[in-house]
Amino acid sequence: KENGINLKSLQVEISATLSLDKYQGIESNERAGFQKINVVIKPTSEASIEVLEAWIKEVEKRCPIHDNLINPTPLTLQLLPQYETAEVA
């Protein structure tokens, strides 16, 4: 609504390429994560393609998931070797 775009519907298709070698303990030079992620956006709108292209660029700028995927993000992994177990009722 900010850009005056009236979306009648929005379909999003996501696909990815993933090598399971490292996950399965197989030596590999490939990353353990996704090699490629594809997102196809299919809006139904009366807006022109130029307006929709400007909209999708704005979506990319604002999307926190997009930001985390394209930029290095610090990750903390903490191991707590001793913990109290909870009693199951």
Side-chain angles (χ1 to χ4, degrees), residues 11-61:
Q11 185 177 8
V12 179
E13 296 176 1
I14 301 172
S15 61
T17 304
L18 175 67
S19 172
L20 296 176
D21 288 351
K22 285 193 178 177
Y23 174 75
Q24 296 171 336
I26 300 169
E27 285 291 323
S28 175
N29 291 330
E30 292 186 354
R31 320 176 31 183
F34 291 105
Q35 278 73 44
K36 185 175 185 178
I37 300 173
N38 302 302
V39 180
V40 177
I41 310 292
K42 296 180 178 181
T44 301
S45 175
E46 294 176 7
S48 69
I49 190 67
E50 293 82 12
V51 169
L52 292 172
E53 286 172 345
W55 166 71
I56 203 67
K57 285 181 183 177
E58 188 66 25
V59 168
E60 282 182 311
K61 281 193 250 177

Side-chain angles (χ1 to χ4, degrees), residues 55-83:
W55 166 71
I56 203 67
K57 285 181 183 177
E58 188 66 25
V59 168
E60 282 182 311
K61 281 193 250 177
R62 293 184 184 191
C63 180
I65 295 170
H66 181 268
D67 181 76
N68 284 124
L69 289 172
I70 66 169
N71 294 302
T73 303
L75 172 67
T76 302
L77 182 61
Q78 184 178 8
L79 176 63
L80 299 174
Q82 295 181 9
Y83 60 94

